[in-house]
Amino acid sequence: MSRKKNLLGMLLVVPGVLFVVFFMLVPLFSLCLTSFFPQQSFSFSSYWGLFKDVYFQQVFMRSMRLSLLSTFVCALLGFPTAYYISKHSKHKGMMMAFAVFPMFTSPVIRSFSWMVILGKRGIVNNFLVAIGLFAKPQSLLYNEFSMTVGFVQLFLPQMILSLIGVMDNIPDDLTLAAGNLGAGRLRSFFEVVFPLSVSGLVTGSVLVFTGCMTAYTTPQLLGGADTRVLSTMVYQYAMSLRDWTQASVVAVVMIVVTMLVSSVFNTVSKKVNPIA
Amino acid sequence: MALLELSGITAGYDKNIILKDFNLSVEKGEFVSLLGSSGCGKTTCLRLIAGFSEPMAGTMTFDGKDYTHVPLHKRNFGFVFQSYALFPHLTVFDNVAFGLKMRKMDKETIRKEVMHMLEVVDLKGFENRFPREMSGGQRQRVALARALVIKPDLLMFDEPLSNLDAKLRVKMRVEIRRLQQELGFTAIYVTHDQEECFAISDKVAIMNKGVIEQMDTPSEIYNRPKTEFIARFVGFENFFDLERTGECTFKTKHGVTIRTEKDHAASATLKGCIRPGDVTVAPAGADLPNAISGKVMVSTFLGQHNQLNVATDIGEFVVSCDQTQVFPVGETVTLSLAANKIILID
């Protein structure tokens, strides 16, 4: 009986497993393979070559900087928002809909909107000139600033949603208990609410960081030729230069970095909340 | 002056008033229970005393000082939650130490106090466990230790035993009572379990629809309920209208004379009530004091005794009679109400 059940259970898993194996694991494996066989034999040479390349170093650092900064800004903006929606809002459903609303629009359109907003004759520049902060319009586009703005707007909903999911599960009695035991509002927030929200913060950060690392349209449209990131670099190697080996190497580097950073986030969260 | 005094408290949410002009006073060292069915306002009252919410009107004084608007973290009151509300990310030790840390005590003192308290609640050796690794009874004791270790001026319990099984419930309530007598703290205990609150308290306040109907010692409430609500609550099932004819003598609206042992106030019309077990059933025509005749409507076997529902001129009576007495349905019987067991209420 239980054997039969097990067999049935395994059968149910088969389609999903097949899909993942053939459309993810195999391509991933072949991608890795490609990166280690620049010529006919196995070698690390393409990696060494890339790491020594100053241009790659610049792009790599820029990607890391932008992704980490955007993750940090998302956490900074998302935490209070999520806390408010989860614990204090009377119209939770509506507030959540607002938070998620940007996700209904494609990243392309959102990037174009930022181009309009941040452009030389955009509303931000008009405002800055009008209040006399600058004599003439500043270039706010095609730099790391505009890319960060684009990333934050793109991924903030994911941070908020991850946090709300976790905060909803913190019983109000816990903050009352902390207060009852003598903790002021701020203290009970840092002793109780924050540590218990960390798992959501980590999930959100991993989502945002991965999203920023791999996003293509946003950096392509809001960044320029001078602000290339890893994802646009892969495209450049593969499509413009037809150098598939080099593209694979960059792709593998991206995967490894994303995994490393995610595991760092996780380790930090275990320190703050050992049971998460 | 009482240690804790609530006067004229009105509380609720938006338009939903739960407590209206509510008064309560608790003496130092007393164990007071608030008893009532769900929705009667007992938990609202407790949370208000703890400072989890503020009243819309009225004042609360504690030890002679106005506490109405003192924020909760400055009250030094202990609170044991129904859900225990242990911090899941902290060990048992850190849970118990939380209040002491907030009071900025030094590490060594905290360690000593916490270990001592864990010994008191019989949880020595569990200090490094997390709450989720413990059973319900153990968590309950952690919650108790956490509330006790800060040496609260007042300890509050919000149905602390309702998540435990029956056996553990009895064990824990004895434990709580023992600790209270040993450490001498003042306690307010909220429950809907009558037996539990009679067993544990010095005084019981029975609440109904946001007001205290009666506050007395358990035996006083059990033997001398003051209102029909309380009487029903403690097992009186037979109620009848009486009209005064003299000292300790009354007559029913059908002219039957009823004598009682004790009198009550001087009102001309009042209500009598009696428990099913205090009514004697006899064959029709028997010459007994306070006799009322009636007809057996329902007879129910309840193990130790039979329960009869008897229709009389003054309403239906529920009585219990010995199994050796057999009164078939439809037979006319005489009920005799024990004079010393009739309680008079307004």
Side-chain angles (χ1 to χ4, degrees), chain A residues 1 8-9 26 34 42 51-52 56 69 80 85 108 138 158 160 165 173 177 187 191 215 217 219 235 246 262 266 271:
Chain A
M1 172 65 197
L8 186 73
V26 171
T34 317
F42 177 87
F51 290 157
K52 274 187 244 158
F56 170 80
L69 180 68
I85 294 178
V108 181
Q138 302 294 301
Q158 308 200 6
I160 293 176
D173 275 357
R187 196 77 198 268
E191 298 277 348
T217 26
Y235 181 86
Q246 214 53 330
S262 304
N266 268 316
K271 284 253 155 63

Side-chain angles (χ1 to χ4, degrees), chain B residues 8 14 42 46 50 53 115 117 122 150 216 221 282 290 304 335:
Chain B
D14 299 327
K42 54 191 195 301
L46 198 69
S53 60
M115 293 318 266
M117 199 41 80
D122 201 17
I150 59 170
D216 262 316
I221 285 190
N290 291 341
Q304 280 189 333
L335 302 180

Side-chain angles (χ1 to χ4, degrees), chain A residues 90 171-185 187-188 190-193 195-196 272-276, chain B residues 14 47 50 52 72-73 77-79 81 83 85-89 95 98-99 101-104 130 132 146-147 150:
Chain A
K90 282 185 179 156
D172 293 339
D173 275 357
L174 291 187
T175 24
L176 291 178
N180 173 254
L181 290 165
R185 288 180 85 124
R187 196 77 198 268
S188 82
F190 282 109
E191 298 277 348
V192 177
V193 178
L196 291 176
V272 182
N273 178 3
I275 61 147
Chain B
D14 299 327
R47 294 191 156 230
F52 297 166
L72 81 154
H73 63 279
F77 292 172
F79 200 101
F81 291 80
S83 61
L86 299 177
F87 305 122
H89 60 299
N95 262 285
F98 194 93
K101 260 187 211 156
M102 295 305 125
R103 281 161 180 71
K104 302 198 168 62
F130 284 99
R132 61 162 179 196
R146 187 178 70 175
I150 59 170

Side-chain angles (χ1 to χ4, degrees), chain A residues 39-89:
Chain A
Q39 274 85 43
Q40 299 308 313
S41 59
F42 177 87
S43 112
F44 282 110
S45 61
S46 20
Y47 282 89
W48 292 135
L50 192 72
F51 290 157
K52 274 187 244 158
D53 180 8
V54 179
Y55 180 61
F56 170 80
Q57 286 169 11
Q58 270 177 10
V59 173
F60 177 83
M61 289 318 285
R62 183 179 300 118
S63 254
M64 285 297 278
R65 187 166 59 236
L66 283 175
S67 303
L68 286 174
L69 180 68
S70 307
T71 307
F72 181 70
V73 175
C74 279
L76 220 56
L77 296 179
F79 206 98
T81 313
Y83 184 64
Y84 175 79
I85 294 178
S86 172
K87 295 290 175 203
H88 297 286
S89 175

Side-chain angles (χ1 to χ4, degrees), chain B residues 61-280:
Chain B
T61 57
F62 184 83
D63 208 7
K65 289 184 277 284
D66 183 6
Y67 258 57
T68 320
H69 302 291
V70 172
L72 81 154
H73 63 279
K74 293 201 173 134
R75 292 194 181 195
N76 197 38
F77 292 172
F79 200 101
V80 179
F81 291 80
Q82 184 172 12
S83 61
Y84 313 141
L86 299 177
F87 305 122
H89 60 299
L90 300 179
T91 59
V92 167
F93 182 93
D94 288 328
N95 262 285
V96 178
F98 194 93
L100 300 180
K101 260 187 211 156
M102 295 305 125
R103 281 161 180 71
K104 302 198 168 62
M105 292 170 83
D106 69 276
K107 269 203 169 135
E108 192 46 37
T109 321
I110 290 181
R111 205 191 62 80
K112 254 176 35 204
E113 295 279 326
V114 171
M115 293 318 266
H116 170 71
M117 199 41 80
L118 286 177
E119 215 175 308
V120 170
V121 297
D122 201 17
L123 278 178
K124 221 178 152 194
F126 287 87
E127 56 269 15
N128 291 324
R129 297 253 193 123
F130 284 99
R132 61 162 179 196
E133 299 166 338
M134 305 182 85
S135 70
Q138 291 170 330
R139 282 182 214 179
Q140 217 281 330
R141 279 180 280 159
V142 177
L144 196 58
R146 187 178 70 175
L148 278 172
V149 80
I150 59 170
K151 299 200 172 66
D153 298 324
L154 178 69
L155 188 51
M156 280 165 277
F157 297 88
D158 184 11
E159 310 221 10
L161 306 180
S162 60
N163 291 328
L164 304 178
D165 63 69
K167 238 185 186 166
L168 203 53
R169 213 152 46 212
V170 174
K171 192 176 162 238
M172 284 307 299
R173 84 177 182 218
V174 174
E175 196 72 356
I176 290 175
R177 184 59 165 161
R178 184 182 64 79
L179 281 170
Q180 193 260 337
Q181 284 171 345
E182 211 173 279
L183 307 173
F185 54 80
T186 311
I188 303 180
Y189 190 99
V190 157
T191 180
H192 62 264
D193 184 328
Q194 186 186 321
E195 185 193 313
E196 184 176 304
C197 97
F198 278 6
I200 211 169
S201 344
D202 297 316
K203 266 190 197 162
V204 175
I206 300 189
M207 290 183 63
N208 181 30
K209 292 180 189 148
V211 293
I212 293 179
E213 292 244 346
Q214 184 174 356
M215 182 163 160
D216 262 316
T217 62
S219 74
E220 191 71 13
I221 285 190
Y222 190 80
N223 294 317
R224 261 178 265 291
K226 282 190 184 137
T227 67
E228 184 174 341
F229 175 81
I230 309 271
R232 285 190 192 280
F233 207 82
V234 294
F236 286 84
E237 292 191 45
N238 306 306
F239 294 84
F240 40 92
D241 293 321
L242 293 174
E243 211 170 294
R244 178 181 296 280
T245 54
E247 172 97 12
C248 288
T249 53
F250 305 89
K251 69 176 204 294
T252 67
K253 58 184 174 191
H254 287 83
V256 180
T257 301
I258 300 282
R259 287 172 199 285
T260 63
E261 205 163 72
K262 287 201 176 83
D263 207 339
H264 170 85
S267 30
T269 57
L270 22 72
K271 219 169 214 181
C273 60
I274 192 161
R275 286 197 171 88
D278 297 327
V279 180
T280 318

